[in-house]
C-alpha cells in the first residue's frame, strides 16, 4: 500500500492541473495592461494557475490579482530591467526541500517581487480522505479550496533545480 501511495504522490506533483497542454496566456509577463474596472495602467508581474490563469498586475503602489477577461492588453513590454526567469510555468523542477516526499514538481506560477522571481509549486501532496466504504479520494482542486492554497508555496530559483 505504501508503494501505491508514493506512486500516486509522485504522479500528482508532475501532473499539471490544467490537463495535457498548458492553455495560452492572455498577456505576457512584463506586458503593459489597462484595468478598466480600476481605470488604471499597470504591468503583468506574475501569473499563476488557479482554475484558469490568474495574473498579478503591478500598479503604482499595489499589486492586484485579476483574470484575463478583466484586462486590456497593449502589446508593449514595460521597461523594467530584470533578468529573465530561470524556470517557466509548466516546467518540471526538483524541489530541494521536499523532505521524504517525491522531489520532482511542476512550476504552477511565477511572480516578480522586488526585482526577484519567485516560483509557485506544491510543497505537499493533497489530503486523502476515506468517504465511508468508497475508495480513497483526493480533495478536489479549486480556487475556493483553502486546503489547495495551503499546499502551494512561493520559492526562489535557489530552492529548485532544473530536471
Amino acid at each position: 500500500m505504501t508503494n501505491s501511495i508514493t506512486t500516486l504522490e509522485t504522479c500528482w506533483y508532475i501532473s499539471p492541473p490544467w490537463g495535457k497542454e498548458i492553455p495560452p496566456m492572455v498577456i505576457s509577463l512584463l506586458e503593459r495592461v489597462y484595468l478598466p474596472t480600476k481605470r488604471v495602467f499597470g504591468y503583468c508581474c506574475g501569473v499563476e494557475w488557479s482554475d484558469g490563469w490568474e495574473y498579478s498586475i503591478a500598479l503604482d503602489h499595489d499589486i492586484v490579482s485579476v483574470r484575463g477577461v478583466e484586462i486590456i492588453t497593449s502589446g508593449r513590454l514595460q521597461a523594467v530591467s530584470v533578468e529573465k526567469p530561470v524556470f517557466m510555468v509548466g516546467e518540471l523542477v526538483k524541489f530541494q526541500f521536499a523532505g521524504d516526499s517525491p522531489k520532482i514538481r511542476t512550476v504552477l506560477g511565477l511572480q516578480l517581487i522586488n526585482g526577484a522571481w519567485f516560483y509557485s509549486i506544491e510543497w505537499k501532496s493533497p489530503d486523502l480522505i476515506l468517504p465511508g466504504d468508497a475508495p480513497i479520494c483526493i480533495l478536489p482542486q479549486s480556487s475556493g479550496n483553502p486546503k489547495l492554497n495551503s499546499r502551494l508555496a512561493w520559492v526562489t530559483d535557489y530552492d529548485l533545480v532544473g530536471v
Side-chain angles (χ1 to χ4, degrees):
M1 181 69 168
T2 304
N3 238 2
S4 298
I5 291 175
T6 302
T7 302
L8 174 66
E9 191 176 39
T10 300
C11 292
W12 178 269
Y13 287 131
I14 63 172
S15 300
W18 45 74
K20 294 183 180 186
E21 292 184 27
I22 301 174
M25 292 190 282
V26 176
I27 59 175
S28 301
L29 285 170
L30 305 179
E31 183 175 347
R32 186 168 164 80
V33 298
Y34 179 70
L35 300 176
T37 55
K38 295 190 176 281
R39 296 182 179 164
V40 65
F41 283 93
Y43 70 93
C44 179
C45 65
V47 62
E48 184 177 22
W49 182 264
S50 177
D51 288 339
W53 290 120
E54 212 165 281
Y55 302 93
S56 297
I57 306 300
L59 305 175
D60 286 333
H61 302 289
D62 197 14
I63 295 177
V64 296
S65 189
V66 296
R67 298 279 182 177
V69 295
E70 304 173 49
I71 300 170
I72 297 175
T73 63
S74 70
R76 293 188 348 238
L77 294 181
Q78 182 72 14
V80 176
S81 59
V82 64
E83 290 184 28
K84 289 173 50 175
V86 177
F87 306 105
M88 296 306 294
V89 174
E91 191 171 341
L92 291 180
V93 293
K94 185 175 181 181
F95 182 40
Q96 296 191 57
F97 300 104
D100 293 336
S101 64
K103 305 231 182 267
I104 306 298
R105 306 292 163 84
T106 303
V107 175
L108 300 176
L110 46 121
Q111 176 86 37
L112 179 63
I113 302 173
N114 292 333
W117 289 107
F118 288 81
Y119 306 88
S120 176
I121 61 162
E122 284 186 287
W123 69 275
K124 73 175 203 169
S125 61
D127 296 327
L128 298 176
I129 57 172
L130 295 169
D133 294 330
I136 295 175
C137 296
I138 296 174
L139 288 176
Q141 279 198 42
S142 73
S143 57
N145 185 347
K147 291 202 178 245
L148 172 66
N149 296 335
S150 67
R151 291 192 341 255
L152 295 178
W154 288 98
V155 298
T156 67
D157 57 353
Y158 297 110
D159 304 320
L160 306 173
V161 175
V163 176

